C-alpha cells in the first residue's frame, strides 16, 4: 500500500481543511496516511472510525510563511522537515504539503536529493485549456534564474510527466517565448531552443495564449516567468468571476439568463479552480513531493493526495533518469 506523508500543520487555514481532505481521500482510495504534526492538535479533528487507518509522527513546530526557506534546514522538529526525512529514509512514498513552498523545495532538494542527471527540480502545474483538457507548465516558481540546460531538462521532465501521469502518448512540448519564430526570445531561451530541438516532441516556440488553447501539452519556461503566468492566470479567472456576478445583478434579464447558464458557469468554475488539481508536483526529486496551494481547502488536499498516489504508483522518476541519460553520454 502506498504511504503518503501529509504535513498536517502547513497551510493558511490551519490543520482542519488538511485533515478533512485526508479523510475524504481515505473514503475513495486505499493508502496509508502518515500525518506529521502536533498530535494534540490534529487527533481531535479525526473521526474515531479513521484513527486506525492513520499513523502519526509528532512534530510540534511549524515553518511560518514569514521565515526564510533556508531556515527550514535548522528546524529539525518542524512538520515539513520530519515529513521530508520520512521520504528520504523511504519510510513513505510521497509527501504532500500546503505549507511554506520555499521550505518544502529546499528540504526536498537538500535532504531527499535530486534524480541522477537533474541539475534543478521544477514545479509543474496544470492549467485549464479550451479543449476541456489541461496544459502542463513548468517551472512555475522553483528557479527564478535558469540556464538553457535547465530549460532543456524541464522539457524532458515535462514530457515524461505528460506520458506517465497524464497518459498523453505523443505529447507536444513548446518553449514559452515572445514569438513563435526560432529567433525570438532572450539569449537563454534561444540557446534552450537549440537544446530542446533534440526532442522529437518539441514543436518550437509558443506564445502565452497557447497555454490556454490546447495546442500543446507541455510548456517550458523559467520559474520567474512561470510564477507570474500562474499568479496572473489565477487573478484573471477570479476577476472574470467577480465581473460576471456584478453584471448579472444589474439586470433581471441577466439574472434569468444566469439561471439557465448555471451548469455552464459551474463547469467553468470547476475548470479554472486550483482545488480541482490539488497541487503541483516537484519534478526531479528522488521521490514524490506535491506542493499544494497555501489556501487549499479539503477538496484541494484530497486531490493533492490523489496526485501523490498516481505519481508514486508510476515509473516517472525512472523514465526521467533514463531519458536524461541519453543526452549526457
Amino acid at each position: 500500500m502506498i504511504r503518503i506523508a501529509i504535513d498536517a500543520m502547513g497551510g493558511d487555514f490551519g490543520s482542519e481543511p488538511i485533515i478533512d481532505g485526508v479523510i475524504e481521500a481515505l473514503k475513495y482510495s486505499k493508502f496509508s496516511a502518515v500525518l506529521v504534526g502536533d498530535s494534540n492538535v490534529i487527533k481531535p479533528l479525526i473521526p474515531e472510525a479513521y484513527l486506525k487507518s492513520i499513523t502519526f509522527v509528532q512534530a510540534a513546530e511549524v515553518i511560518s510563511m514569514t521565515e526564510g526557506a533556508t531556515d527550514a534546514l535548522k528546524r529539525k522538529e518542524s512538520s515539513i522537515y520530519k515529513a521530508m526525512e520520512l521520504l528520504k529514509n523511504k519510510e513513505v512514498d510521497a509527501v504532500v504539503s500546503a505549507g511554506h513552498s520555499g521550505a518544502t523545495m529546499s528540504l526536498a532538494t537538500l535532504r531527499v536529493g535530486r534524480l541522477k542527471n537533474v541539475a534543478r527540480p521544477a514545479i509543474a502545474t496544470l492549467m485549464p485549456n479550451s479543449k476541456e483538457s489541461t496544459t502542463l507548465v513548468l517551472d512555475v516558481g522553483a528557479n527564478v534564474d535558469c540556464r538553457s540546460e535547465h530549460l532543456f531538462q524541464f522539457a524532458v521532465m515535462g514530457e515524461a510527466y505528460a506520458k506517465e501521469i497524464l497518459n498523453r502518448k505523443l505529447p507536444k512540448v513548446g518553449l514559452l517565448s515572445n514569438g513563435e519564430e526560432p529567433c525570438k526570445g532572450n539569449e537563454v531561451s534561444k540557446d534552450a531552443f537549440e537544446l530542446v530541438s533534440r526532442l522529437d516532441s518539441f514543436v518550437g516556440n509558443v506564445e502565452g495564449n497557447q497555454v490556454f488553447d490546447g495546442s500543446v501539452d507541455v510548456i517550458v519556461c523559467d520559474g520567474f516567468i512561470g510564477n507570474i503566468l500562474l499568479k496572473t492566470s489565477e487573478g484573471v479567472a477570479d476577476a472574470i468571476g467577480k465581473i460576471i456576478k456584478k453584471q448579472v445583478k444589474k439586470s433581471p434579464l441577466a439574472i434569468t439568463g444566469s439561471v439557465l447558464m448555471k451548469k455552464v458557469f459551474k463547469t467553468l468554475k470547476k475548470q479554472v479552480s486550483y482545488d480541482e488539481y490539488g497541487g503541483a508536483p516537484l519534478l526531479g526529486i528522488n521521490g514524490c513531493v506535491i506542493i499544494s496551494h497555501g489556501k487549499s481547502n479539503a477538496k484541494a488536499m484530497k486531490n493533492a493526495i490523489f496526485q501523490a498516489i498516481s505519481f508514486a504508483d508510476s515509473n516517472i522518476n525512472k523514465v526521467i533518469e533514463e531519458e536524461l541519460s541519453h543526452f549526457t553520454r
Side-chain angles (χ1 to χ4, degrees):
M1 188 178 293
I2 292 174
R3 304 155 298 174
I4 311 293
I6 300 100
D7 177 4
M9 306 299 288
D12 295 351
F13 305 125
S15 298
E16 191 166 351
I18 297 171
I19 301 305
D20 289 345
V22 172
I23 300 304
E24 284 300 307
L26 284 168
K27 290 178 182 179
Y28 295 98
S29 184
K30 289 185 178 181
F31 67 98
S32 177
V34 180
L35 296 185
V36 186
D38 189 344
S39 57
N40 293 322
V41 174
I42 59 181
K43 274 189 176 181
L45 300 173
I46 301 170
E48 190 173 345
Y50 289 92
L51 285 173
K52 293 181 180 179
S53 304
I54 297 171
T55 303
F56 298 90
V57 173
Q58 179 64 20
E61 295 183 15
V62 184
I63 304 294
S64 71
M65 298 298 180
T66 58
E67 295 182 69
T70 55
D71 293 339
L73 291 167
K74 306 172 186 175
R75 301 282 299 280
K76 297 183 179 182
E77 294 302 312
S78 67
S79 55
I80 187 58
Y81 189 101
K82 289 199 170 184
M84 288 299 176
E85 287 298 292
L86 292 173
L87 184 61
K88 175 189 174 184
N89 297 327
K90 307 299 182 185
E91 295 177 58
V92 297
D93 302 296
V95 170
V96 175
S97 176
H100 194 307
S101 58
T104 302
M105 289 184 289
S106 293
L107 289 169
T109 304
L110 299 174
R111 298 301 301 168
V112 180
R114 295 164 294 174
L115 294 173
K116 186 179 180 181
N117 297 319
V118 171
R120 293 186 184 181
I123 302 175
T125 193
L126 292 170
M127 306 285 279
N129 62 48
S130 58
K131 291 187 177 179
E132 296 186 2
S133 183
T134 54
T135 304
L136 186 74
V137 181
L138 72 166
D139 177 27
V140 293
N143 307 279
V144 175
D145 297 302
C146 289
R147 298 197 300 268
S148 56
E149 55 264 36
H150 299 148
L151 296 179
F152 169 71
Q153 290 184 3
F154 298 167
V156 173
M157 293 193 291
E159 180 187 26
Y161 191 90
K163 287 180 177 178
E164 298 297 315
I165 306 297
L166 303 179
N167 298 315
R168 315 266 174 97
K169 291 183 178 180
L170 297 170
K172 297 177 181 179
V173 178
L175 186 64
L176 189 61
S177 189
N178 61 333
E180 295 182 353
E181 299 83 3
C183 61
K184 289 295 181 70
N186 56 27
E187 291 306 314
V188 173
S189 63
K190 289 177 184 177
D191 290 343
F193 187 98
E194 297 300 321
L195 294 176
V196 185
S197 293
R198 293 183 287 176
L199 301 180
D200 292 337
S201 58
F202 186 51
V203 297
N205 284 337
V206 297
E207 296 181 276
N209 63 299
Q210 290 178 268
V211 174
F212 307 102
D213 69 7
S215 60
V216 289
D217 299 284
V218 180
I219 291 183
V220 176
C221 57
D222 65 47
F224 180 77
I225 294 172
N227 194 261
I228 292 174
L229 169 66
L230 176 63
K231 298 296 174 59
T232 301
S233 302
E234 289 177 350
V236 169
D238 184 57
I240 289 174
K242 289 178 180 177
I243 291 169
I244 291 174
K245 285 182 180 180
K246 286 182 180 179
Q247 292 302 315
V248 164
K249 292 178 182 179
K250 291 181 179 180
S251 164
L253 184 62
I255 292 174
T256 302
S258 69
V259 172
L260 297 174
M261 293 284 286
K262 187 176 181 180
K263 186 176 180 180
V264 174
F265 289 140
K266 187 176 181 180
T267 301
L268 177 62
K269 184 179 179 181
K270 184 177 180 180
Q271 280 188 287
V272 301
S273 178
Y274 65 82
D275 58 16
E276 289 294 329
Y277 307 105
L282 184 60
L283 300 182
I285 293 297
N286 188 24
C288 170
V289 175
I290 304 295
I291 298 175
S292 296
H293 201 293
K295 293 180 173 59
S296 290
N297 56 22
K299 184 177 183 180
M301 291 306 300
K302 176 191 71 174
N303 287 329
I305 291 169
F306 290 162
Q307 267 205 55
I309 292 171
S310 296
F311 192 114
D313 198 34
S314 74
N315 293 315
I316 182 170
N317 283 344
K318 184 178 179 181
V319 171
I320 289 172
E321 288 187 327
E322 290 178 350
E323 289 297 314
L324 286 176
S325 69
H326 298 326
F327 301 98
T328 56
R329 291 171 183 171

